[in-house]
mmCIF file of all heavy atoms in Angstrom:
data_model
loop_
_atom_site.group_PDB
_atom_site.id
_atom_site.type_symbol
_atom_site.label_atom_id
_atom_site.label_comp_id
_atom_site.label_asym_id
_atom_site.label_seq_id
_atom_site.Cartn_x
_atom_site.Cartn_y
_atom_site.Cartn_z
ATOM 1 N N SER N 375 -36.873 25.485 -8.311
ATOM 2 C CA SER N 375 -36.161 24.253 -7.981
ATOM 3 C C SER N 375 -37.150 23.109 -7.966
ATOM 4 O O SER N 375 -38.245 23.235 -7.409
ATOM 5 C CB SER N 375 -35.498 24.347 -6.604
ATOM 6 O OG SER N 375 -34.601 25.423 -6.543
ATOM 7 N N LEU N 376 -36.726 21.993 -8.548
ATOM 8 C CA LEU N 376 -37.533 20.776 -8.543
ATOM 9 C C LEU N 376 -36.821 19.747 -7.679
ATOM 10 O O LEU N 376 -35.637 19.482 -7.892
ATOM 11 C CB LEU N 376 -37.651 20.245 -9.978
ATOM 12 C CG LEU N 376 -38.262 18.856 -10.169
ATOM 13 C CD1 LEU N 376 -39.758 18.891 -9.870
ATOM 14 C CD2 LEU N 376 -38.010 18.348 -11.577
ATOM 15 N N HIS N 377 -37.530 19.180 -6.722
ATOM 16 C CA HIS N 377 -36.965 18.114 -5.899
ATOM 17 C C HIS N 377 -37.705 16.809 -6.205
ATOM 18 O O HIS N 377 -38.867 16.653 -5.835
ATOM 19 C CB HIS N 377 -37.078 18.446 -4.416
ATOM 20 C CG HIS N 377 -36.110 19.505 -3.981
ATOM 21 N ND1 HIS N 377 -35.883 19.831 -2.677
ATOM 22 C CD2 HIS N 377 -35.286 20.312 -4.708
ATOM 23 C CE1 HIS N 377 -34.976 20.800 -2.605
ATOM 24 N NE2 HIS N 377 -34.605 21.105 -3.822
ATOM 25 N N VAL N 378 -36.999 15.927 -6.886
ATOM 26 C CA VAL N 378 -37.558 14.615 -7.219
ATOM 27 C C VAL N 378 -36.982 13.605 -6.245
ATOM 28 O O VAL N 378 -35.772 13.588 -6.012
ATOM 29 C CB VAL N 378 -37.140 14.197 -8.645
ATOM 30 C CG1 VAL N 378 -37.641 12.798 -8.953
ATOM 31 C CG2 VAL N 378 -37.645 15.196 -9.679
ATOM 32 N N ASN N 379 -37.832 12.764 -5.694
ATOM 33 C CA ASN N 379 -37.357 11.681 -4.850
ATOM 34 C C ASN N 379 -37.938 10.365 -5.318
ATOM 35 O O ASN N 379 -39.082 10.304 -5.785
ATOM 36 C CB ASN N 379 -37.727 11.910 -3.379
ATOM 37 C CG ASN N 379 -36.897 13.008 -2.752
ATOM 38 O OD1 ASN N 379 -35.741 12.810 -2.407
ATOM 39 N ND2 ASN N 379 -37.465 14.199 -2.653
ATOM 40 N N SER N 380 -37.143 9.307 -5.201
ATOM 41 C CA SER N 380 -37.672 7.988 -5.492
ATOM 42 C C SER N 380 -38.763 7.683 -4.482
ATOM 43 O O SER N 380 -38.730 8.159 -3.346
ATOM 44 C CB SER N 380 -36.559 6.943 -5.425
ATOM 45 O OG SER N 380 -35.873 7.031 -4.207
ATOM 46 N N GLY N 381 -39.741 6.895 -4.898
ATOM 47 C CA GLY N 381 -40.815 6.534 -3.989
ATOM 48 C C GLY N 381 -42.172 6.879 -4.560
ATOM 49 O O GLY N 381 -42.293 7.619 -5.538
ATOM 50 N N LYS N 382 -43.186 6.328 -3.918
ATOM 51 C CA LYS N 382 -44.560 6.478 -4.393
ATOM 52 C C LYS N 382 -45.199 7.777 -3.907
ATOM 53 O O LYS N 382 -44.571 8.555 -3.190
ATOM 54 C CB LYS N 382 -45.391 5.272 -3.915
ATOM 55 C CG LYS N 382 -44.865 3.977 -4.510
ATOM 56 C CD LYS N 382 -45.873 2.859 -4.320
ATOM 57 C CE LYS N 382 -45.437 1.666 -5.151
ATOM 58 N NZ LYS N 382 -46.581 0.844 -5.562
ATOM 59 N N HIS N 383 -46.463 7.960 -4.293
ATOM 60 C CA HIS N 383 -47.166 9.220 -4.046
ATOM 61 C C HIS N 383 -47.096 9.670 -2.585
ATOM 62 O O HIS N 383 -46.849 10.835 -2.304
ATOM 63 C CB HIS N 383 -48.634 9.057 -4.469
ATOM 64 C CG HIS N 383 -49.414 10.325 -4.416
ATOM 65 N ND1 HIS N 383 -49.248 11.332 -5.355
ATOM 66 C CD2 HIS N 383 -50.344 10.784 -3.541
ATOM 67 C CE1 HIS N 383 -50.065 12.341 -5.049
ATOM 68 N NE2 HIS N 383 -50.736 12.031 -3.968
ATOM 69 N N LYS N 384 -47.306 8.734 -1.672
ATOM 70 C CA LYS N 384 -47.370 9.115 -0.259
ATOM 71 C C LYS N 384 -46.018 9.020 0.439
ATOM 72 O O LYS N 384 -45.946 9.120 1.668
ATOM 73 C CB LYS N 384 -48.392 8.235 0.462
ATOM 74 C CG LYS N 384 -49.793 8.464 -0.064
ATOM 75 C CD LYS N 384 -50.870 8.306 0.988
ATOM 76 C CE LYS N 384 -52.207 8.777 0.439
ATOM 77 N NZ LYS N 384 -53.331 8.530 1.321
ATOM 78 N N GLU N 385 -44.942 8.785 -0.316
ATOM 79 C CA GLU N 385 -43.631 8.571 0.313
ATOM 80 C C GLU N 385 -42.704 9.780 0.221
ATOM 81 O O GLU N 385 -41.481 9.634 0.294
ATOM 82 C CB GLU N 385 -42.963 7.332 -0.305
ATOM 83 C CG GLU N 385 -43.722 6.057 0.018
ATOM 84 C CD GLU N 385 -43.148 4.816 -0.668
ATOM 85 O OE1 GLU N 385 -42.334 4.956 -1.609
ATOM 86 O OE2 GLU N 385 -43.530 3.705 -0.274
ATOM 87 N N LEU N 386 -43.269 10.970 0.067
ATOM 88 C CA LEU N 386 -42.432 12.193 0.051
ATOM 89 C C LEU N 386 -41.578 12.220 1.322
ATOM 90 O O LEU N 386 -42.110 12.171 2.437
ATOM 91 C CB LEU N 386 -43.334 13.429 0.008
ATOM 92 C CG LEU N 386 -42.628 14.792 -0.072
ATOM 93 C CD1 LEU N 386 -41.913 14.972 -1.411
ATOM 94 C CD2 LEU N 386 -43.608 15.930 0.151
ATOM 95 N N PRO N 387 -40.251 12.274 1.190
ATOM 96 C CA PRO N 387 -39.405 12.167 2.390
ATOM 97 C C PRO N 387 -39.574 13.366 3.332
ATOM 98 O O PRO N 387 -39.823 14.488 2.886
ATOM 99 C CB PRO N 387 -37.975 12.149 1.829
ATOM 100 C CG PRO N 387 -38.098 11.847 0.383
ATOM 101 C CD PRO N 387 -39.441 12.352 -0.042
ATOM 102 N N ARG N 388 -39.407 13.096 4.596
ATOM 103 C CA ARG N 388 -39.553 14.162 5.602
ATOM 104 C C ARG N 388 -38.537 15.267 5.414
ATOM 105 O O ARG N 388 -38.777 16.409 5.785
ATOM 106 C CB ARG N 388 -39.412 13.584 7.001
ATOM 107 C CG ARG N 388 -40.595 12.723 7.334
ATOM 108 C CD ARG N 388 -40.759 12.601 8.834
ATOM 109 N NE ARG N 388 -42.018 11.926 9.054
ATOM 110 C CZ ARG N 388 -42.764 12.091 10.122
ATOM 111 N NH1 ARG N 388 -42.361 12.891 11.080
ATOM 112 N NH2 ARG N 388 -43.901 11.452 10.255
ATOM 113 N N PHE N 389 -37.349 14.931 4.873
ATOM 114 C CA PHE N 389 -36.336 15.977 4.734
ATOM 115 C C PHE N 389 -36.759 17.032 3.732
ATOM 116 O O PHE N 389 -36.183 18.119 3.703
ATOM 117 C CB PHE N 389 -34.945 15.412 4.427
ATOM 118 C CG PHE N 389 -34.833 14.526 3.211
ATOM 119 C CD1 PHE N 389 -34.907 15.056 1.935
ATOM 120 C CD2 PHE N 389 -34.636 13.170 3.351
ATOM 121 C CE1 PHE N 389 -34.783 14.244 0.806
ATOM 122 C CE2 PHE N 389 -34.511 12.336 2.230
ATOM 123 C CZ PHE N 389 -34.591 12.884 0.962
ATOM 124 N N GLU N 390 -37.780 16.761 2.907
ATOM 125 C CA GLU N 390 -38.278 17.813 2.021
ATOM 126 C C GLU N 390 -39.007 18.910 2.805
ATOM 127 O O GLU N 390 -39.054 20.060 2.365
ATOM 128 C CB GLU N 390 -39.175 17.233 0.932
ATOM 129 C CG GLU N 390 -38.426 16.421 -0.125
ATOM 130 C CD GLU N 390 -37.362 17.218 -0.892
ATOM 131 O OE1 GLU N 390 -37.304 18.453 -0.773
ATOM 132 O OE2 GLU N 390 -36.573 16.575 -1.602
ATOM 133 N N ALA N 391 -39.574 18.559 3.941
ATOM 134 C CA ALA N 391 -40.168 19.596 4.793
ATOM 135 C C ALA N 391 -39.069 20.514 5.332
ATOM 136 O O ALA N 391 -39.226 21.743 5.361
ATOM 137 C CB ALA N 391 -40.966 18.970 5.932
#
Side-chain angles (χ1 to χ4, degrees):
Chain N
S375 302
L376 170 71
H377 287 190
V378 176
N379 287 283
S380 53
K382 297 194 169 208
H383 187 74
K384 296 213 171 174
E385 294 175 346
L386 182 68
R388 290 203 172 208
F389 56 73
E390 289 300 350

